[in-house]
Amino acid sequence: MTPEEYLAHDAVGLADLVRRGETTPDDLLDAALAATAAVNGALNVVVSTFEDAARAAIRAGLPDGPFRGVPFLLKDLTAHYAGQPTGSAWGPRLNRPAEADTELVKRYKDAGLVIFGKTTVPELAMDWSTESRAHGASHNPWNPGHTTGTSSGGSAAAVAAGIVPMAHGNDGGGSIRVPASCCGVFGMKPSRGRNPAAPDGDRWMGMLCEHALTWTVRDSAALLDATAGPHPHQFYNSPAGGSFAAEVGQAPGKLRIAVSTRAPYGAPTHPDCIRAVEAQVQLLEELGHSCEWRDIDLPESGWRDFNMMINAEYATDMEVEEKILGRPVGPEDFAPVIWDIIRLGRTIKATDYAQGLAGTHKVAQAVLSLFDDYDVFLSPTLAKPPVRLGSFDLSVTPEQHYTNYLAWMPYTHLFNISGSPAMSVPAMHDADGLPIGCQFAARPAAEALLFRLAGQLEAARPWAGRRPPIHYGA
Protein backbone atom coordinates (compact mmCIF):
# COMPACT_ATOMS: atom_id res chain seq x y z
CA MET A 1 0.00 0.00 0.00
CA THR A 2 1.48 3.37 -1.03
CA PRO A 3 1.55 6.34 1.35
CA GLU A 4 -1.05 8.08 -0.80
CA GLU A 5 -3.40 5.08 -0.54
CA TYR A 6 -2.86 4.76 3.21
CA LEU A 7 -3.44 8.46 3.89
CA ALA A 8 -6.52 8.59 1.68
CA HIS A 9 -8.57 6.67 4.26
CA ASP A 10 -9.53 7.23 7.86
CA ALA A 11 -9.85 4.26 10.24
CA VAL A 12 -13.43 3.49 9.20
CA GLY A 13 -12.29 3.56 5.56
CA LEU A 14 -9.28 1.29 6.19
CA ALA A 15 -11.47 -1.23 8.01
CA ASP A 16 -13.84 -1.21 5.05
CA LEU A 17 -10.94 -2.02 2.70
CA VAL A 18 -10.04 -5.01 4.86
CA ARG A 19 -13.66 -6.12 4.98
CA ARG A 20 -13.90 -6.01 1.18
CA GLY A 21 -10.64 -7.90 0.73
CA GLU A 22 -8.88 -4.95 -0.94
CA THR A 23 -6.08 -4.96 1.64
CA THR A 24 -5.00 -7.03 4.63
CA PRO A 25 -4.16 -6.30 8.27
CA ASP A 26 -0.52 -7.16 7.50
CA ASP A 27 -0.44 -4.65 4.64
CA LEU A 28 -1.86 -1.94 6.89
CA LEU A 29 0.64 -2.74 9.63
CA ASP A 30 3.43 -2.52 7.04
CA ALA A 31 2.16 0.94 6.08
CA ALA A 32 1.95 2.10 9.71
CA LEU A 33 5.47 0.87 10.47
CA ALA A 34 6.77 2.52 7.31
CA ALA A 35 5.08 5.76 8.37
CA THR A 36 6.66 5.50 11.81
CA ALA A 37 10.09 4.98 10.31
CA ALA A 38 9.59 7.87 7.89
CA VAL A 39 8.59 10.60 10.37
CA ASN A 40 9.51 9.54 13.89
CA GLY A 41 13.13 10.59 13.55
CA ALA A 42 11.99 14.16 12.95
CA LEU A 43 9.06 14.18 15.37
CA ASN A 44 9.92 11.79 18.23
CA VAL A 45 6.31 10.87 18.93
CA VAL A 46 6.41 7.04 19.04
CA VAL A 47 8.34 5.84 22.08
CA SER A 48 8.21 2.09 21.34
CA THR A 49 6.93 -0.40 18.81
CA PHE A 50 6.17 -4.10 19.27
CA GLU A 51 5.75 -5.48 15.78
CA ASP A 52 6.11 -9.11 16.89
CA ALA A 53 3.12 -8.84 19.22
CA ALA A 54 1.08 -7.12 16.51
CA ARG A 55 1.94 -9.82 13.92
CA ALA A 56 1.12 -12.52 16.46
CA ALA A 57 -2.30 -10.96 17.05
CA ILE A 58 -2.97 -10.98 13.30
CA ARG A 59 -1.84 -14.61 12.94
CA ALA A 60 -4.04 -15.64 15.87
CA GLY A 61 -7.08 -14.24 14.07
CA LEU A 62 -8.39 -10.77 14.76
CA PRO A 63 -11.90 -10.36 16.17
CA ASP A 64 -14.48 -9.37 13.59
CA GLY A 65 -14.94 -5.93 15.12
CA PRO A 66 -15.63 -2.60 13.44
CA PHE A 67 -11.91 -1.77 13.09
CA ARG A 68 -10.57 -5.19 12.16
CA GLY A 69 -7.01 -4.78 10.86
CA VAL A 70 -6.61 -1.04 11.51
CA PRO A 71 -3.22 -0.07 13.06
CA PHE A 72 -3.44 1.74 16.39
CA LEU A 73 -1.14 3.33 18.98
CA LEU A 74 -1.56 3.61 22.75
CA LYS A 75 -0.54 6.61 24.78
CA ASP A 76 2.20 5.46 27.17
CA LEU A 77 0.12 6.30 30.24
CA THR A 78 -2.62 4.25 31.98
CA ALA A 79 -3.23 1.99 28.94
CA HIS A 80 -1.61 -1.33 29.89
CA TYR A 81 -0.81 -3.82 27.13
CA ALA A 82 0.21 -7.17 28.63
CA GLY A 83 3.94 -7.80 28.29
CA GLN A 84 4.79 -4.18 27.38
CA PRO A 85 5.82 -1.42 29.80
CA THR A 86 3.58 1.53 30.52
CA GLY A 87 6.49 3.86 31.08
CA SER A 88 4.78 7.21 31.73
CA ALA A 89 8.17 8.77 30.73
CA TRP A 90 9.29 8.05 34.32
CA GLY A 91 12.44 6.07 35.03
CA PRO A 92 11.14 3.47 37.52
CA ARG A 93 8.33 2.44 35.15
CA LEU A 94 10.23 2.35 31.86
CA ASN A 95 11.16 -1.34 31.95
CA ARG A 96 8.25 -2.75 33.97
CA PRO A 97 6.04 -4.92 31.73
CA ALA A 98 2.31 -4.85 32.37
CA GLU A 99 0.91 -8.10 33.71
CA ALA A 100 -2.44 -7.76 31.95
CA ASP A 101 -4.40 -5.57 29.57
CA THR A 102 -6.53 -2.79 31.00
CA GLU A 103 -10.22 -3.08 30.19
CA LEU A 104 -10.01 -0.31 27.59
CA VAL A 105 -7.18 -2.11 25.76
CA LYS A 106 -9.24 -5.32 25.81
CA ARG A 107 -12.07 -3.41 24.14
CA TYR A 108 -9.66 -1.99 21.56
CA LYS A 109 -8.52 -5.53 20.75
CA ASP A 110 -12.11 -6.77 20.59
CA ALA A 111 -12.79 -4.00 18.05
CA GLY A 112 -10.14 -5.61 15.81
CA LEU A 113 -7.49 -2.91 16.20
CA VAL A 114 -3.87 -3.92 15.64
CA ILE A 115 -1.96 -2.24 18.47
CA PHE A 116 1.72 -1.96 17.59
CA GLY A 117 3.27 0.76 19.75
CA LYS A 118 3.15 3.50 22.37
CA THR A 119 3.29 7.28 22.02
CA THR A 120 5.26 9.85 23.98
CA VAL A 121 4.06 11.62 27.12
CA PRO A 122 5.54 14.15 29.57
CA GLU A 123 6.99 12.71 32.78
CA LEU A 124 3.98 11.42 34.74
CA ALA A 125 1.87 13.77 32.55
CA MET A 126 3.00 16.73 34.65
CA ASP A 127 4.74 18.94 32.09
CA TRP A 128 2.42 21.17 30.08
CA SER A 129 4.25 20.12 26.90
CA THR A 130 5.11 16.61 25.67
CA GLU A 131 8.74 16.77 26.73
CA SER A 132 10.52 14.54 29.23
CA ARG A 133 13.89 13.65 30.67
CA ALA A 134 13.33 10.04 29.57
CA HIS A 135 12.47 10.64 25.91
CA GLY A 136 13.19 14.26 25.02
CA ALA A 137 10.84 16.60 23.18
CA SER A 138 8.09 15.66 20.75
CA HIS A 139 7.88 18.02 17.77
CA ASN A 140 4.81 19.52 16.18
CA PRO A 141 4.53 18.31 12.55
CA TRP A 142 3.20 21.73 11.51
CA ASN A 143 6.23 23.57 12.95
CA PRO A 144 8.79 21.35 14.71
CA GLY A 145 10.09 24.04 17.07
CA HIS A 146 6.72 24.06 18.82
CA THR A 147 4.90 21.80 21.24
CA THR A 148 2.48 19.02 20.40
CA GLY A 149 0.57 19.89 23.59
CA THR A 150 0.08 17.92 26.78
CA SER A 151 -0.03 15.07 27.60
CA SER A 152 -1.42 13.09 24.65
CA GLY A 153 0.87 15.11 22.39
CA GLY A 154 2.60 12.05 20.94
CA SER A 155 -0.72 10.56 19.90
CA ALA A 156 -2.01 13.81 18.38
CA ALA A 157 1.17 14.33 16.33
CA ALA A 158 1.17 10.68 15.19
CA VAL A 159 -2.34 11.15 13.81
CA ALA A 160 -1.55 14.50 12.18
CA ALA A 161 1.59 13.10 10.54
CA GLY A 162 -0.27 10.10 9.13
CA ILE A 163 1.30 7.30 11.20
CA VAL A 164 -2.18 6.16 12.20
CA PRO A 165 -5.64 7.60 11.55
CA MET A 166 -6.42 7.54 15.27
CA ALA A 167 -4.56 6.92 18.53
CA HIS A 168 -5.43 6.53 22.18
CA GLY A 169 -5.35 9.52 24.50
CA ASN A 170 -6.67 10.54 27.88
CA ASP A 171 -7.66 13.80 29.48
CA GLY A 172 -7.58 14.84 33.15
CA GLY A 173 -7.52 18.60 32.56
CA GLY A 174 -7.28 19.02 28.79
CA SER A 175 -4.85 16.38 27.56
CA ILE A 176 -6.96 15.20 24.62
CA ARG A 177 -8.25 18.61 23.62
CA VAL A 178 -5.00 20.58 24.05
CA PRO A 179 -2.88 18.38 21.72
CA ALA A 180 -5.81 18.13 19.29
CA SER A 181 -5.73 21.92 19.05
CA CYS A 182 -1.93 22.05 18.76
CA CYS A 183 -1.76 19.39 16.03
CA GLY A 184 -4.88 20.22 14.03
CA VAL A 185 -6.82 17.01 14.70
CA PHE A 186 -10.15 16.17 16.32
CA GLY A 187 -10.23 15.42 20.04
CA MET A 188 -13.28 14.39 22.06
CA LYS A 189 -13.12 14.09 25.84
CA PRO A 190 -16.10 11.91 26.78
CA SER A 191 -18.31 12.25 29.81
CA ARG A 192 -17.12 11.01 33.19
CA GLY A 193 -17.41 7.22 33.27
CA ARG A 194 -18.21 6.84 29.55
CA ASN A 195 -15.12 4.69 28.87
CA PRO A 196 -13.82 2.12 31.36
CA ALA A 197 -11.11 2.98 33.88
CA ALA A 198 -10.80 -0.58 35.22
CA PRO A 199 -8.81 -2.21 36.67
CA ASP A 200 -6.80 0.73 38.06
CA GLY A 201 -9.88 2.58 39.24
CA ASP A 202 -11.32 6.00 38.63
CA ARG A 203 -8.42 8.43 38.74
CA TRP A 204 -8.79 12.02 39.85
CA MET A 205 -12.38 11.48 41.04
CA GLY A 206 -13.36 10.31 37.59
CA MET A 207 -11.99 13.45 35.95
CA LEU A 208 -9.41 11.48 33.92
CA CYS A 209 -11.31 10.33 30.84
CA GLU A 210 -10.05 7.87 28.21
CA HIS A 211 -10.62 8.13 24.46
CA ALA A 212 -8.63 9.11 21.37
CA LEU A 213 -7.25 11.65 18.93
CA THR A 214 -8.63 11.17 15.40
CA TRP A 215 -8.30 12.54 11.90
CA THR A 216 -12.06 12.50 11.31
CA VAL A 217 -15.16 12.93 13.45
CA ARG A 218 -16.68 9.63 12.36
CA ASP A 219 -13.61 7.72 13.57
CA SER A 220 -13.97 9.23 17.04
CA ALA A 221 -17.67 8.38 17.18
CA ALA A 222 -17.25 4.84 15.86
CA LEU A 223 -14.39 4.14 18.27
CA LEU A 224 -16.44 5.41 21.20
CA ASP A 225 -19.22 3.05 20.12
CA ALA A 226 -16.71 0.20 20.32
CA THR A 227 -15.35 1.04 23.77
CA ALA A 228 -18.03 2.88 25.75
CA GLY A 229 -20.22 1.20 28.28
CA PRO A 230 -20.48 0.45 31.97
CA HIS A 231 -17.99 -1.75 33.76
CA PRO A 232 -19.06 -3.49 36.98
CA HIS A 233 -15.76 -2.81 38.75
CA GLN A 234 -15.66 0.97 38.62
CA PHE A 235 -17.26 3.73 40.64
CA TYR A 236 -18.37 6.06 37.82
CA ASN A 237 -20.37 4.82 34.85
CA SER A 238 -22.20 6.78 32.15
CA PRO A 239 -25.38 5.35 30.63
CA ALA A 240 -25.03 3.03 27.65
CA GLY A 241 -27.18 2.77 24.53
CA GLY A 242 -27.47 4.23 21.05
CA SER A 243 -24.84 4.74 18.40
CA PHE A 244 -22.57 7.77 18.30
CA ALA A 245 -21.46 6.91 14.76
CA ALA A 246 -25.05 7.16 13.61
CA GLU A 247 -25.19 10.73 14.93
CA VAL A 248 -22.41 11.98 12.64
CA GLY A 249 -24.08 13.45 9.58
CA GLN A 250 -27.39 13.99 11.34
CA ALA A 251 -28.64 17.58 11.54
CA PRO A 252 -28.13 18.97 15.06
CA GLY A 253 -31.09 21.33 14.76
CA LYS A 254 -30.89 24.98 15.73
CA LEU A 255 -28.63 25.10 18.78
CA ARG A 256 -28.41 27.75 21.47
CA ILE A 257 -24.69 28.34 21.88
CA ALA A 258 -23.02 30.33 24.64
CA VAL A 259 -19.70 31.88 23.60
CA SER A 260 -16.83 33.16 25.71
CA THR A 261 -13.25 34.24 25.17
CA ARG A 262 -12.78 35.36 28.77
CA ALA A 263 -10.46 32.80 30.32
CA PRO A 264 -11.38 31.50 33.76
CA TYR A 265 -9.42 33.16 36.55
CA GLY A 266 -8.25 36.01 34.35
CA ALA A 267 -5.54 34.58 32.07
CA PRO A 268 -5.15 36.74 28.91
CA THR A 269 -6.24 35.12 25.65
CA HIS A 270 -4.15 35.59 22.51
CA PRO A 271 -5.84 37.58 19.70
CA ASP A 272 -5.48 34.64 17.27
CA CYS A 273 -7.40 32.36 19.64
CA ILE A 274 -10.11 34.99 19.92
CA ARG A 275 -10.24 35.34 16.13
CA ALA A 276 -10.66 31.58 15.80
CA VAL A 277 -13.74 31.71 18.04
CA GLU A 278 -15.15 34.70 16.17
CA ALA A 279 -14.77 32.80 12.90
CA GLN A 280 -16.57 29.81 14.42
CA VAL A 281 -19.41 32.08 15.55
CA GLN A 282 -19.80 33.39 12.00
CA LEU A 283 -19.87 29.84 10.64
CA LEU A 284 -22.31 28.64 13.28
CA GLU A 285 -24.70 31.48 12.53
CA GLU A 286 -24.44 30.74 8.80
CA LEU A 287 -25.45 27.17 9.70
CA GLY A 288 -28.52 28.47 11.50
CA HIS A 289 -27.43 28.33 15.14
CA SER A 290 -28.00 31.06 17.70
CA CYS A 291 -24.85 32.37 19.41
CA GLU A 292 -24.77 34.59 22.47
CA TRP A 293 -21.73 35.88 24.36
CA ARG A 294 -21.86 34.54 27.90
CA ASP A 295 -19.02 34.07 30.39
CA ILE A 296 -18.91 31.51 33.20
CA ASP A 297 -18.50 32.98 36.69
CA LEU A 298 -16.59 30.60 38.92
CA PRO A 299 -15.93 30.42 42.67
CA GLU A 300 -12.66 32.15 43.52
CA SER A 301 -11.37 29.08 45.37
CA GLY A 302 -12.04 26.71 42.50
CA TRP A 303 -8.55 26.79 40.98
CA ARG A 304 -6.85 26.33 44.35
CA ASP A 305 -9.13 23.39 45.14
CA PHE A 306 -8.37 21.74 41.78
CA ASN A 307 -4.62 22.09 42.41
CA MET A 308 -4.91 20.60 45.89
CA MET A 309 -6.75 17.58 44.56
CA ILE A 310 -4.05 17.00 41.91
CA ASN A 311 -1.33 17.24 44.58
CA ALA A 312 -3.12 14.68 46.74
CA GLU A 313 -3.65 12.31 43.81
CA TYR A 314 0.05 12.36 42.89
CA ALA A 315 1.08 11.77 46.49
CA THR A 316 -1.30 8.81 46.69
CA ASP A 317 -0.04 7.40 43.39
CA MET A 318 3.53 7.50 44.68
CA GLU A 319 2.58 5.65 47.86
CA VAL A 320 1.38 2.84 45.61
CA GLU A 321 4.63 3.05 43.61
CA GLU A 322 6.72 2.73 46.76
CA LYS A 323 5.04 -0.59 47.54
CA ILE A 324 5.79 -1.83 44.02
CA LEU A 325 9.39 -0.60 44.09
CA GLY A 326 10.06 -1.77 47.62
CA ARG A 327 11.72 1.53 48.50
CA PRO A 328 10.84 5.16 49.16
CA VAL A 329 10.79 7.54 46.22
CA GLY A 330 12.82 10.72 46.52
CA PRO A 331 13.87 13.89 44.71
CA GLU A 332 16.32 11.98 42.52
CA ASP A 333 13.36 10.16 40.93
CA PHE A 334 11.56 13.22 39.56
CA ALA A 335 11.80 16.55 37.83
CA PRO A 336 12.01 19.08 40.69
CA VAL A 337 8.49 20.49 40.57
CA ILE A 338 6.93 17.01 40.46
CA TRP A 339 8.75 16.04 43.66
CA ASP A 340 7.58 19.27 45.29
CA ILE A 341 3.99 18.51 44.25
CA ILE A 342 4.24 15.04 45.79
CA ARG A 343 5.64 16.50 49.02
CA LEU A 344 2.84 19.04 49.14
CA GLY A 345 0.27 16.32 48.54
CA ARG A 346 1.58 14.38 51.52
CA THR A 347 0.85 17.31 53.84
CA ILE A 348 -2.83 17.69 52.94
CA LYS A 349 -5.24 16.83 55.76
CA ALA A 350 -8.32 14.74 55.01
CA THR A 351 -10.57 17.59 56.15
CA ASP A 352 -8.83 20.03 53.78
CA TYR A 353 -9.18 17.57 50.93
CA ALA A 354 -12.88 17.16 51.67
CA GLN A 355 -13.36 20.92 51.69
CA GLY A 356 -11.45 21.21 48.41
CA LEU A 357 -13.61 18.51 46.87
CA ALA A 358 -16.69 20.46 47.93
CA GLY A 359 -15.12 23.49 46.22
CA THR A 360 -14.73 21.61 42.95
CA HIS A 361 -18.38 20.62 43.22
CA LYS A 362 -19.24 24.33 43.32
CA VAL A 363 -17.22 24.80 40.13
CA ALA A 364 -19.19 21.96 38.54
CA GLN A 365 -22.46 23.59 39.59
CA ALA A 366 -21.41 26.91 38.04
CA VAL A 367 -20.46 25.20 34.79
CA LEU A 368 -23.52 22.97 34.58
CA SER A 369 -25.95 25.78 35.32
CA LEU A 370 -24.94 27.26 31.97
CA PHE A 371 -26.70 24.35 30.24
CA ASP A 372 -30.02 25.36 31.77
CA ASP A 373 -30.13 28.07 29.08
CA TYR A 374 -27.80 26.79 26.35
CA ASP A 375 -27.16 23.56 24.46
CA VAL A 376 -23.45 24.11 23.85
CA PHE A 377 -20.63 26.25 25.20
CA LEU A 378 -17.95 27.54 22.78
CA SER A 379 -14.54 28.91 23.77
CA PRO A 380 -10.94 28.78 22.60
CA THR A 381 -9.34 25.44 23.40
CA LEU A 382 -6.17 27.24 24.50
CA ALA A 383 -5.30 30.77 25.57
CA LYS A 384 -2.32 30.80 23.18
CA PRO A 385 -1.28 29.19 19.90
CA PRO A 386 1.15 26.25 20.36
CA VAL A 387 4.09 27.52 22.39
CA ARG A 388 7.73 26.86 21.60
CA LEU A 389 9.39 23.77 23.00
CA GLY A 390 11.15 24.48 26.28
CA SER A 391 8.57 27.05 27.39
CA PHE A 392 7.90 25.37 30.74
CA ASP A 393 10.56 25.24 33.45
CA LEU A 394 10.16 22.23 35.77
CA SER A 395 12.44 23.73 38.41
CA VAL A 396 9.86 26.35 39.43
CA THR A 397 7.63 26.18 42.51
CA PRO A 398 4.34 24.26 42.30
CA GLU A 399 2.49 27.59 42.52
CA GLN A 400 4.33 28.92 39.45
CA HIS A 401 3.87 25.59 37.67
CA TYR A 402 0.11 25.82 38.05
CA THR A 403 0.17 29.49 37.09
CA ASN A 404 1.90 28.43 33.85
CA TYR A 405 -0.87 25.87 33.30
CA LEU A 406 -3.54 28.51 33.79
CA ALA A 407 -1.86 30.93 31.38
CA TRP A 408 -1.68 28.22 28.69
CA MET A 409 -4.80 26.06 28.99
CA PRO A 410 -7.33 27.71 31.30
CA TYR A 411 -10.46 26.70 29.37
CA THR A 412 -10.31 22.91 29.48
CA HIS A 413 -10.23 21.67 33.09
CA LEU A 414 -13.73 23.00 33.84
CA PHE A 415 -15.33 20.18 31.89
CA ASN A 416 -13.27 17.51 33.59
CA ILE A 417 -14.64 18.85 36.86
CA SER A 418 -18.22 19.00 35.58
CA GLY A 419 -18.03 15.58 33.92
CA SER A 420 -19.21 17.06 30.63
CA PRO A 421 -18.16 15.92 27.16
CA ALA A 422 -15.99 18.49 25.43
CA MET A 423 -14.22 18.50 22.07
CA SER A 424 -11.55 20.48 20.26
CA VAL A 425 -12.31 21.13 16.60
CA PRO A 426 -9.66 22.45 14.15
CA ALA A 427 -10.52 26.08 13.43
CA MET A 428 -7.65 27.95 11.73
CA HIS A 429 -3.87 28.30 11.35
CA ASP A 430 -1.81 31.26 12.55
CA ALA A 431 0.92 33.13 10.68
CA ASP A 432 3.47 30.47 11.68
CA GLY A 433 1.33 27.72 10.18
CA LEU A 434 0.31 26.39 13.59
CA PRO A 435 -3.19 25.05 14.15
CA ILE A 436 -5.65 26.67 16.54
CA GLY A 437 -8.67 24.76 17.81
CA CYS A 438 -11.96 25.76 19.34
CA GLN A 439 -13.60 23.93 22.23
CA PHE A 440 -17.26 22.94 22.35
CA ALA A 441 -18.82 21.46 25.50
CA ALA A 442 -22.27 20.21 26.47
CA ARG A 443 -24.08 18.81 29.48
CA PRO A 444 -22.97 15.40 30.79
CA ALA A 445 -23.80 12.39 28.59
CA ALA A 446 -24.51 14.67 25.58
CA GLU A 447 -21.79 13.30 23.29
CA ALA A 448 -24.41 12.59 20.63
CA LEU A 449 -25.20 16.30 20.34
CA LEU A 450 -21.52 17.21 20.04
CA PHE A 451 -20.90 14.55 17.40
CA ARG A 452 -23.80 15.91 15.34
CA LEU A 453 -22.38 19.43 15.61
CA ALA A 454 -18.81 18.29 14.89
CA GLY A 455 -19.96 16.41 11.81
CA GLN A 456 -21.74 19.52 10.57
CA LEU A 457 -18.65 21.70 11.14
CA GLU A 458 -16.37 19.15 9.46
CA ALA A 459 -18.65 19.02 6.41
CA ALA A 460 -18.82 22.82 6.20
CA ARG A 461 -15.07 23.43 6.63
CA PRO A 462 -13.24 20.14 6.02
CA TRP A 463 -9.92 19.84 7.85
CA ALA A 464 -9.00 16.22 7.14
CA GLY A 465 -7.78 16.94 3.61
CA ARG A 466 -4.82 19.06 4.74
CA ARG A 467 -1.62 17.47 6.05
CA PRO A 468 1.20 19.21 7.94
CA PRO A 469 4.61 19.81 6.32
CA ILE A 470 6.05 16.75 8.10
CA HIS A 471 3.95 13.70 7.25
CA TYR A 472 4.22 10.20 5.85
CA GLY A 473 4.86 10.38 2.13
CA ALA A 474 5.94 14.02 2.14
Side-chain angles (χ1 to χ4, degrees):
M1 174 173 281
T2 67
E4 293 75 19
E5 291 169 334
Y6 183 62
L7 294 177
H9 301 277
D10 62 2
V12 170
L14 291 176
D16 191 48
L17 294 180
V18 173
R19 197 171 298 113
R20 298 201 311 261
E22 296 181 24
T23 191
T24 68
D26 278 303
D27 288 340
L28 294 182
L29 180 57
D30 287 342
L33 290 167
T36 305
V39 303
N40 201 48
L43 298 180
N44 186 35
V45 295
V46 177
V47 70
S48 66
T49 58
F50 31 93
E51 179 183 356
D52 289 348
R55 299 286 184 197
I58 293 171
R59 288 195 302 271
L62 297 169
D64 190 22
F67 292 106
R68 181 176 175 270
V70 175
F72 192 72
L73 291 166
L74 298 174
K75 177 180 177 178
D76 197 25
L77 185 83
T78 76
H80 300 322
Y81 185 108
Q84 301 297 329
T86 306
S88 309
W90 184 53
R93 290 180 181 168
L94 293 178
N95 297 306
R96 185 195 303 162
E99 295 180 0
D101 294 341
T102 50
E103 176 62 23
L104 183 65
V105 171
K106 290 178 183 177
R107 295 186 186 187
Y108 285 147
K109 290 181 176 180
D110 288 343
L113 290 166
V114 177
I115 302 169
F116 71 95
K118 296 282 194 88
T119 61
T120 50
V121 297
E123 182 176 323
L124 294 171
M126 277 301 284
D127 193 347
W128 313 139
S129 173
T130 300
E131 305 173 52
S132 71
R133 299 179 302 164
H135 302 302
S138 293
H139 300 270
N140 194 310
W142 295 93
N143 191 323
H146 291 255
T147 184
T148 61
T150 188
S151 61
S152 307
S155 289
V159 171
I163 295 175
V164 286
M166 60 183 186
H168 164 252
N170 46 41
D171 188 317
S175 291
I176 286 175
R177 291 157 288 160
V178 169
S181 179
C182 289
C183 295
V185 299
F186 180 72
M188 170 72 79
K189 180 201 79 69
S191 299
R192 178 183 281 117
R194 178 69 76 185
N195 267 331
D200 287 346
D202 300 278
R203 297 167 182 265
W204 293 20
M205 294 297 175
M207 293 197 305
L208 181 62
C209 299
E210 307 282 344
H211 190 36
L213 289 300
T214 65
W215 195 236
T216 63
V217 173
R218 72 173 186 171
D219 275 356
S220 183
L223 183 63
L224 195 57
D225 281 342
T227 58
H231 189 280
H233 300 163
Q234 64 188 40
F235 191 82
Y236 297 103
N237 278 301
S238 282
S243 167
F244 297 121
E247 301 291 345
V248 179
Q250 298 297 314
K254 182 177 180 177
L255 301 177
R256 300 165 300 165
I257 300 175
V259 184
S260 178
T261 55
R262 189 190 76 182
Y265 306 112
T269 299
H270 192 281
D272 284 346
C273 299
I274 294 173
R275 278 194 287 272
V277 170
E278 292 170 343
Q280 288 293 292
V281 168
Q282 181 177 349
L283 174 59
L284 289 162
E285 291 179 339
E286 289 173 2
L287 293 170
H289 303 298
S290 173
C291 296
E292 181 178 333
W293 292 87
R294 166 76 181 272
D295 298 322
I296 302 176
D297 294 318
L298 299 172
E300 289 185 10
S301 68
W303 180 241
R304 180 200 65 208
D305 294 333
F306 181 69
N307 294 171
M308 181 173 63
M309 191 177 70
I310 293 173
N311 295 346
E313 291 284 341
Y314 270 91
T316 302
D317 193 23
M318 287 305 113
E319 287 192 0
V320 174
E321 281 292 337
E322 288 178 335
K323 293 175 183 177
I324 295 170
L325 293 170
R327 66 168 176 85
V329 296
E332 68 280 0
D333 291 311
F334 307 96
V337 75
I338 300 177
W339 173 241
D340 288 342
I341 284 169
I342 292 164
R343 289 194 305 115
L344 272 177
R346 288 175 169 175
T347 68
I348 296 169
K349 296 189 302 183
T351 51
D352 291 338
Y353 184 86
Q355 289 178 14
L357 186 59
T360 62
H361 289 175
K362 291 179 181 178
V363 172
Q365 291 166 359
V367 172
L368 295 175
S369 66
L370 186 77
F371 300 114
D372 294 339
D373 301 314
Y374 300 96
D375 302 303
V376 173
F377 178 75
L378 164 63
S379 73
T381 305
L382 287 161
K384 303 174 185 177
V387 297
R388 294 197 65 84
L389 291 169
S391 292
F392 302 111
D393 180 1
L394 297 190
S395 65
V396 298
T397 64
E399 293 77 12
Q400 184 60 50
H401 191 54
Y402 288 127
T403 297
N404 292 342
Y405 175 114
L406 201 59
W408 164 231
M409 45 188 202
Y411 292 96
T412 51
H413 76 284
L414 304 180
F415 302 105
N416 298 84
I417 292 173
S418 71
S420 301
M423 62 185 183
S424 182
V425 174
M428 60 173 272
H429 287 74
D430 69 8
D432 295 321
L434 289 160
I436 295 175
C438 287
Q439 177 179 242
F440 294 84
R443 60 179 55 84
E447 285 94 334
L449 172 63
L450 291 183
F451 277 126
R452 289 195 296 270
L453 177 58
Q456 185 183 50
L457 294 171
E458 182 183 38
R461 298 283 191 276
W463 59 78
R466 184 180 181 191
R467 289 284 175 184
I470 299 175
H471 70 273
Y472 179 44

